[in-house]
Amino acid sequence: MVLDEIKIPIQAELQAFEALYKESTQSQVQLMQKVAKHVLSTKGKHIRPIFALLSAGMVGKISDKTIRAALMLEILHTASLLHDDVVDNSQLRRNEPTTNHLFGNRVAILSGDYFLATIIKLLAEFHDYEFLDILSKVVIQMSEGELLQQQNAVFPEVSEENYFQIIEKKTAILIASCCEAGGISGGGNSQQIEQLRKIGMLVGTAFQIKDDILDYLPAKETGKASGNDLRENKYTLPLIYFLQQQGEKDRKEIFKQIQEQNQNPVFVEKIMNSVIESGSIELAQKKAEDICNQAIEIVKSFPGNSYKTSFLGTINYLLKRTC
């Protein structure tokens, strides 16, 4: 399914979400208005709100509370991107200049803080206290994931176990929370909500693996500069699989070179080509597919309706995406 087909059962709710998103990110400060306008003009595909809305529809009924849950987690995602781009010194996102590139690091961080504050205000206003609990736990997990990644850049631990620990905290937890919050707002029972959360963790993990694979594709195809992970000393799954194929002596030498030459564009290109030629991209893709298949099996246990069909379509869409 293409994204437009996936959205059909939730078209009206997505429009309501878009309107609330625009309204909630407004400010009386002119500089904040400019940032919000830039963020809105470079918005992504809203995958997280889609998961929240579809999750509610799979277990019951989409409500205004579902839309607020979707908004909370999408704005949190936006705030995290503003902060991440500063941490990673990113200059390009979705083929457009990042907020920190246009307005500077201070403005980007303060804008992220502003977005976070708008979420808390909205949830408190509507007494959505169960979502405040979800929000606080997600922010803690995402912060820990970022700190683990920064720690790993200085004291590298090159293992699948460490990699999955980082991406589950940084990425998967947010998608899991979207599914969980959607299930709660839709009136799902405790078992359904737990299943939705598990599905979200699996899908979110596969989503990040796919994102790390895309880092090996040209920027014109993905909207992000390729090779960023190597330059930032991030040991993602394709690189881990490549290193696992090397003998101990070669692995130590490559590891040393990565530590010393990760800012050398010629070296980065050489390693990227070696990873591609080794078949490690295909191995990582297979891992993502296996994880998605686990999620699909759980989704199949839910009663059939148009929301379930679109949910399955969203999983397949994320697995096959090229940007």
Side-chain angles (χ1 to χ4, degrees):
M1 294 177 75
V2 297
L3 201 55
D4 286 343
E5 291 177 67
I6 288 166
K7 293 177 180 178
I8 289 173
I10 53 172
Q11 202 69 257
E13 291 85 355
L14 277 174
Q15 289 176 0
F17 161 81
E18 292 277 3
L20 188 57
Y21 187 96
K22 186 174 182 179
E23 178 187 336
S24 300
T25 53
Q26 296 306 303
S27 169
Q28 294 181 352
V29 177
Q30 189 176 20
L31 180 56
M32 189 64 230
Q33 290 174 10
K34 291 181 179 179
V35 172
K37 183 178 180 181
H38 173 68
V39 168
L40 287 167
S41 71
T42 58
K43 64 184 179 182
K45 304 176 183 70
H46 289 333
I47 293 299
R48 290 155 192 84
I50 288 172
F51 273 123
L53 295 170
L54 292 176
S55 294
M58 280 171 59
V59 300
K61 184 179 180 181
I62 301 173
S63 63
D64 289 345
K65 191 169 186 173
T66 310
I67 294 170
R68 292 196 298 273
L71 178 70
M72 167 188 79
L73 292 158
E74 183 64 8
I75 292 181
L76 172 59
H77 174 58
T78 300
S80 72
L81 293 182
L82 290 172
H83 288 170
D84 284 353
D85 284 342
V86 172
V87 172
D88 298 336
N89 195 29
S90 300
Q91 306 297 304
L92 191 70
R93 182 174 289 279
R94 303 179 187 123
N95 274 325
E96 296 290 339
T98 56
T99 299
N100 53 297
H101 179 65
L102 288 177
F103 300 98
N105 289 342
R106 291 182 181 181
V107 172
I109 289 175
L110 291 169
S111 299
D113 294 344
Y114 177 84
F115 285 141
L116 284 171
T118 64
I119 303 170
I120 297 169
K121 178 179 179 295
L122 180 75
L123 298 184
E125 181 181 342
F126 286 93
H127 307 291
D128 292 329
Y129 298 124
E130 66 268 60
F131 293 159
L132 281 170
D133 181 57
I134 290 173
L135 176 66
S136 63
K137 290 175 181 176
V138 173
V139 172
I140 289 170
Q141 291 284 310
M142 291 175 68
S143 299
E144 286 181 346
E146 186 63 48
L147 288 166
L148 276 172
Q149 187 162 275
Q150 294 301 315
Q151 174 181 289
N152 205 52
V154 180
F155 304 105
E157 182 184 330
V158 186
S159 68
E160 284 186 67
E161 181 182 0
N162 181 257
Y163 169 76
F164 283 113
Q165 183 184 16
I166 290 171
I167 69 171
E168 284 172 6
K169 285 179 175 289
K170 275 201 65 178
T171 304
I173 189 68
L174 186 54
I175 293 180
S177 296
C178 288
C179 297
E180 178 186 9
I184 291 170
S185 68
N189 60 45
S190 58
Q191 182 182 4
Q192 289 174 324
I193 292 166
E194 181 56 37
Q195 285 179 317
L196 285 168
R197 182 176 174 82
K198 184 175 181 181
I199 291 164
M201 285 298 293
L202 290 166
V203 173
T205 300
F207 179 91
Q208 186 59 54
I209 294 173
K210 185 67 178 184
D211 218 42
D212 294 338
I213 289 171
L214 295 178
D215 192 56
Y216 285 82
L217 298 183
K220 63 182 179 181
E221 295 181 29
T222 65
K224 294 171 66 177
S226 59
N228 270 342
D229 290 336
L230 268 170
R231 283 189 287 273
E232 293 163 12
N233 217 16
K234 295 178 183 176
Y235 291 82
T236 61
L237 199 59
L239 181 58
I240 290 170
Y241 282 155
F242 168 68
L243 290 170
Q244 286 177 351
Q245 295 175 34
Q246 312 307 310
E248 185 176 353
K249 183 179 178 181
D250 289 341
R251 185 164 55 247
K252 286 181 178 179
E253 180 58 30
I254 294 169
F255 180 75
K256 180 183 176 184
Q257 290 175 349
I258 291 173
Q259 296 294 106
E260 296 174 351
Q261 300 186 51
N262 60 0
Q263 298 304 309
N264 181 337
V266 175
F267 173 76
V268 169
E269 184 177 359
K270 176 187 173 184
I271 290 293
M272 288 179 66
N273 288 335
S274 296
V275 170
I276 293 168
E277 291 166 6
S278 72
S280 296
I281 299 296
E282 288 78 9
L283 289 173
Q285 178 70 21
K286 177 65 167 54
K287 186 69 173 181
E289 290 171 0
D290 290 343
I291 292 171
C292 276
N293 285 334
Q294 294 178 48
I296 287 168
E297 287 306 308
I298 303 174
V299 175
K300 286 179 179 178
S301 68
F302 284 80
N305 59 26
S306 59
Y307 302 108
K308 175 180 174 179
T309 301
S310 284
F311 198 109
L312 290 168
T314 308
I315 295 175
N316 287 314
Y317 169 81
L318 292 179
L319 195 59
K320 295 175 181 178
R321 68 193 173 100
T322 57
C323 63

